[in-house]
Amino acid sequence: MTERKDPICRASMEILGRVTEDGPGNVFSRAAQMKPCPIGVGGNCCRLCNMGPCRIGEGKGQSSTGVCGETTETIVARNFARMVAAGTAAHSDHAREVVQALLATARGQASGLTIRDVARLRSLALELGLNKDEKDPLKLAELVGQCLLAEFGRQDGEIRFAGRAPERRQALWRTLGVIPRGIDREVVELLHRTHMGVDQDAAHLTRQSTRTALADGWGGSMIASQVQDVLFGAPHPVRSKVNLGVLSEDRVNVVIHGHEPLMPEVLVALACDPAWNEKAKAAGAQGINVVGICCTANELLMRRGLPVAGSFLQQELAISTGAVEVMVVDVQCVMQGLAGVAACHHTTLVTTSEKAHIPGALHRPFTPENAVSRAEEIVALAIENFKRRGEVYIPPHTLDLVARFTHESVRYTLGGTYRGSYRPLVDNIVNGRIKGICAVVGCTNPRLRAGEMHAQVVRELIANDVLVLSTGCAAINCAKEGLMVPEAASLAGPGLREVCEAVGIPPVLHFGSCVDNSRLLEAVCALVREGGLGDDLSELPVVGCAPEWVSEKVIAIGHYFVASGIPVGLGVSFPTLGSTGFTEHLGRGMEEELGAGWFYEPTAAGMAGRIIGIISQRRQRLGIEKGRERVLFDMEMRRKLDV
Ligand code: SF4
Ligand code: MSK
């Protein structure tokens, strides 16, 4: 048993203070009970065959090879590769569902789904070289859907969206042989090569990890974001609210959680229907309130301005308020612990993906065909549950946020007088008002004081004129810190502040969910296309980091950033520290090969310093750096900077 690390979020702490120790527990109490395995943490445990499991390492008295003779380096590289494969599979399987929903919509088989953004559909069709004369959006959607579905099973050639990368990057990928052929093919090959007794050269294996990760960022994730835009409309900036206080005391609360926005979109539409709100009133409530957790929250926030109840670590706490009638979950980042917490309240946990069942949950699988009837069933259940509500405590904490930024809306927002251009952003980077850009992504982790590292890193970055783009639970965290409102510009350095105030944007821009990390790739490609900052992504003063990462998806995301020329830092722990040689390969080796490497910084000051250092180095190489003293943060400054 270790000491429980409390999150910095006040709303979460209030709930934690109310849950009893003999209750079902939560992620914070379980993290305190379970010390991380000292062997697994560095990636040097292999259980790939029945001669093992083998624990190997570089320390005194540790065996340096497994029973089969495999070295520490190979084992660590293989574990890393499997994380990339799992992360890519998760994003890409999400994308497949979305493309299939597009096809069902095109064929008139989907209930409650429609093509909301025909202009986006047409531009996609044009990019994919499909029949540009086709006037009927449904016929065009069929063509686009078929074409994108083929990206998963393609055996040869290059995935289509790799062509969006700058030409120099594509040429480098071709030289290295890492442009993905088909999304599924790369995942399968990587898993095959990590089977016992196959690819035992760590660097060679990592090339396939690179190819697979690129199949995520420029394949699965990009397809998911694009097709969701077609189905649900492209996002434009909007104000909303964040934290557990968005749950309602007098309305029926339905919490949607997971990653795929298909069913939640239909649910949200239903919750706005006056007839269903009348039914809620007949049950004694004032109406229906749908809010989100994790990336479903980000998806619905991006397109409908839906309030966000919390990040990954708040899923159980939301139910512990006693105010949740139904929590609807699909895939990824859904804790099994939810079932135990729900059982202590009147909450029904509903699983909607055929891929993900949870013992104790009600399983109501969603298909595009049954979306409306399923949504009706779930809302009816929630209204019924409202009558059984017991004691409720909703922490009265919410903050405003401005969300829904994409590379298109950034071009529009920062476009200046003439609109629709990345020129002003490039000019502001060149003149040093904006020193660079950092993508802060990933999860929140109970191994740290959750939220603290995000908050500290981001505050230090913006104070040093680094524009922050954020996705996933990192974005929710930044919003809970009050960093996603235009008023937060007062926390930025003088240059960034001036730009933010001139155009009325926050210094930290919400870029969406985990699959929307592909939007970050699009944004940085747009910077290169604009000209003036080099002709490859590896020249841009742009860095990525995941200070509190949890999921394997973060490793896939990080690796496609690195493979695209953007260095990435991890906090908490680094998954390959068990092998010095392989960790160096991911750092210096990748830097030499792809122009960007991985790095590890467990402290906020270290992470911010490293990011600012890389940005400054890249600015020097571009010949645009004018020295300026780094603003270092101590605790006193952080307190004063509270929004
Ligand atoms: Fe051990 Fe090798 Fe089997 Fe892994 S593959 S468990 S290292 S014998
Ligand atoms: S949800 S992967 S906890 S960011 Fe996309 Fe949050 Fe991390 Fe899941």
Side-chain angles (χ1 to χ4, degrees):
M1 181 95 176
T2 56
E3 201 188 329
R4 188 182 83 186
K5 293 220 170 55
D6 288 335
I8 61 166
C9 165
R10 249 195 312 161
S12 300
M13 280 308 295
E14 284 181 20
I15 296 294
L16 284 174
R18 293 172 65 89
V19 293
T20 51
E21 278 188 12
D22 54 356
N26 52 59
V27 66
F28 297 97
S29 59
R30 291 189 296 268
Q33 273 161 13
M34 173 83 70
K35 265 177 96 173
C37 165
I39 306 287
V41 77
N44 36 1
C45 166
C46 181
R47 49 174 302 277
L48 290 190
C49 88
N50 204 23
M51 293 191 289
C54 301
R55 284 165 296 155
I56 38 82
E58 295 170 340
K60 233 179 159 186
Q62 285 182 298
S63 172
S64 60
T65 61
V67 174
C68 65
E70 274 191 358
T71 63
T72 311
E73 198 169 46
T74 304
I75 288 169
V76 170
R78 208 159 54 180
N79 285 332
F80 179 84
R82 288 196 157 213
M83 293 176 96
V84 170
T88 302
H91 286 146
S92 302
D93 219 26
H94 165 170
R96 189 193 330 268
E97 294 283 343
V98 174
V99 175
Q100 282 171 334
L102 177 72
L103 283 168
T105 308
R107 292 167 191 165
Q109 294 161 350
S111 67
L113 298 175
T114 162
I115 311 287
R116 283 229 189 92
D117 197 334
V118 177
R120 175 62 60 101
L121 174 69
R122 289 202 189 288
S123 72
L124 248 185
L126 199 65
E127 180 182 355
L128 295 169
L130 301 171
N131 187 357
K132 60 180 184 322
D133 301 324
E134 179 58 70
K135 296 274 181 297
D136 181 352
L138 294 181
K139 287 193 182 141
L140 207 53
E142 171 78 29
L143 293 175
V144 168
Q146 289 292 359
C147 175
L148 292 177
L149 200 60
E151 292 294 90
F152 294 89
R154 182 207 285 273
Q155 300 303 313
D156 300 300
E158 298 178 351
I159 57 166
R160 305 277 192 137
F161 289 147
R164 290 180 167 190
E167 271 171 24
R168 230 181 79 196
R169 182 70 11 193
Q170 291 182 50
L172 175 63
W173 288 341
R174 264 181 215 114
T175 310
L176 296 171
V178 295
I179 298 199
R181 294 154 290 190
I183 299 163
D184 294 352
R185 169 155 198 187
E186 304 313 344
V187 175
V188 169
E189 183 171 323
L190 187 56
L191 285 174
H192 175 200
R193 282 164 66 164
T194 58
H195 185 276
M196 188 263 175
V198 187
D199 197 350
Q200 290 150 53
D201 176 329
H204 184 248
L205 175 63
T206 305
R207 283 262 172 99
Q208 180 59 20
S209 298
T210 300
R211 201 173 200 181
T212 306
L214 289 173
D216 177 354
W218 301 85
S221 285
M222 206 168 265
I223 291 174
S225 290
Q226 301 290 305
V227 176
Q228 285 168 189
D229 283 356
V230 170
L231 282 173
F232 307 126
H236 297 288
V238 70
R239 261 186 192 265
S240 189
K241 294 216 176 282
V242 66
N243 218 341
L244 292 172
V246 302
L247 289 165
S248 171
E249 283 203 358
D250 51 16
R251 284 182 291 160
V252 173
N253 289 309
V254 178
V255 179
I256 48 181
H257 169 27
H259 279 77
E260 292 172 1
L262 300 166
M263 164 89 177
E265 277 279 345
V266 181
L267 249 173
V268 171
L270 208 71
C272 299
D273 182 337
W276 279 96
N277 279 276
E278 282 310 314
K279 288 184 191 179
K281 283 180 187 158
Q286 291 302 309
I288 302 166
N289 182 41
V290 182
V291 298
I293 291 268
C294 250
C295 274
T296 304
N298 288 322
E299 293 283 1
L300 274 288
L301 167 72
M302 288 290 274
R303 297 194 176 82
R304 289 184 175 259
L306 191 85
V308 177
S311 66
F312 172 65
L313 292 182
Q314 288 173 289
Q315 52 189 284
E316 292 162 311
L317 306 185
I319 296 181
S320 295
T321 61
V324 176
E325 275 61 53
V326 169
M327 183 178 273
V328 187
V329 302
D330 49 45
V331 289
Q332 302 166 28
C333 309
V334 177
M335 293 189 199
Q336 192 167 349
L338 284 174
V341 185
C344 297
H345 296 272
H346 70 305
T347 311
T348 304
L349 180 66
V350 181
T351 50
T352 58
S353 168
E354 205 35 271
K355 293 167 195 158
H357 289 213
I358 300 178
L362 184 68
H363 186 58
R364 286 290 175 271
F366 151 87
T367 62
E369 292 78 14
N370 72 10
V372 170
S373 60
R374 275 284 180 258
E376 286 175 347
E377 194 184 345
I378 287 168
V379 174
L381 176 66
I383 293 173
E384 212 37 49
N385 276 357
F386 182 81
K387 299 176 192 161
R388 301 194 293 115
R389 253 198 202 178
E391 196 192 335
V392 167
Y393 176 74
I394 300 172
H397 304 297
T398 60
L399 275 179
D400 285 347
L401 79 153
V402 177
R404 298 210 249 186
F405 288 93
T406 62
H407 90 96
E408 292 94 342
S409 63
V410 165
R411 180 179 19 205
Y412 178 77
T413 317
L414 290 174
T417 318
Y418 301 107
R419 297 294 182 199
S421 158
Y422 263 74
R423 195 71 247 155
L425 179 56
V426 170
D427 287 347
N428 279 307
I429 292 174
V430 172
N431 67 28
R433 278 198 192 91
I434 296 175
K435 288 286 180 192
I437 296 173
C438 183
V440 181
V441 309
C443 329
T444 45
N445 195 315
R447 297 280 172 215
L448 310 174
R449 273 202 78 204
E452 188 172 56
M453 188 148 167
H454 277 140
Q456 294 181 352
V457 170
V458 171
R459 282 172 184 231
E460 191 161 343
L461 290 177
I462 61 174
N464 282 281
D465 293 318
V466 176
L467 176 67
V468 172
L469 312 182
S470 192
T471 60
C473 293
I476 297 175
N477 232 26
C478 289
K480 289 200 303 174
E481 281 293 295
L483 297 168
M484 285 189 168
V485 284
E487 297 81 344
S490 63
L491 305 177
L496 178 61
R497 182 162 62 227
E498 199 183 324
V499 175
C500 290
E501 284 173 354
V503 287
I505 55 165
V508 184
L509 303 183
H510 195 311
F511 251 65
S513 68
C514 289
V515 290
D516 289 331
N517 283 303
S518 61
R519 295 187 195 276
L520 298 170
L521 294 178
E522 289 189 82
V524 289
C525 285
L527 280 179
V528 171
R529 266 199 307 277
E530 190 60 44
L533 290 173
D535 56 5
D536 189 10
L537 304 176
S538 59
E539 291 182 81
L540 295 174
V542 175
V543 186
C545 70
E548 301 190 21
W549 74 283
V550 169
S551 143
E552 288 167 315
K553 289 179 289 169
V554 176
I555 301 304
I557 295 165
H559 205 61
Y560 73 64
F561 269 50
V562 166
S564 303
I566 300 162
V568 172
L570 292 183
V572 192
S573 62
F574 198 82
T576 67
L577 288 182
S579 164
T580 316
F582 186 64
T583 304
E584 270 175 21
H585 177 71
L586 287 184
R588 253 206 317 260
M590 294 290 286
E591 170 88 43
E592 280 161 19
E593 206 170 72
L594 286 146
W598 283 91
F599 61 91
Y600 171 48
E601 287 292 346
T603 67
M607 181 69 82
R610 189 78 168 257
I611 293 166
I612 292 164
I614 295 171
I615 285 175
S616 164
Q617 229 175 39
R618 287 189 165 200
R619 291 181 62 85
Q620 274 164 20
R621 275 192 230 134
L622 286 167
I624 57 173
E625 181 66 326
K626 296 172 205 82
R628 184 185 149 211
E629 197 109 325
R630 174 181 160 198
V631 180
L632 279 165
F633 270 52
D634 56 26
M635 278 317 291
E636 192 50 40
M637 283 177 76
R638 285 194 188 107
R639 270 194 292 273
K640 277 195 203 140
L641 284 172
D642 269 349
V643 180

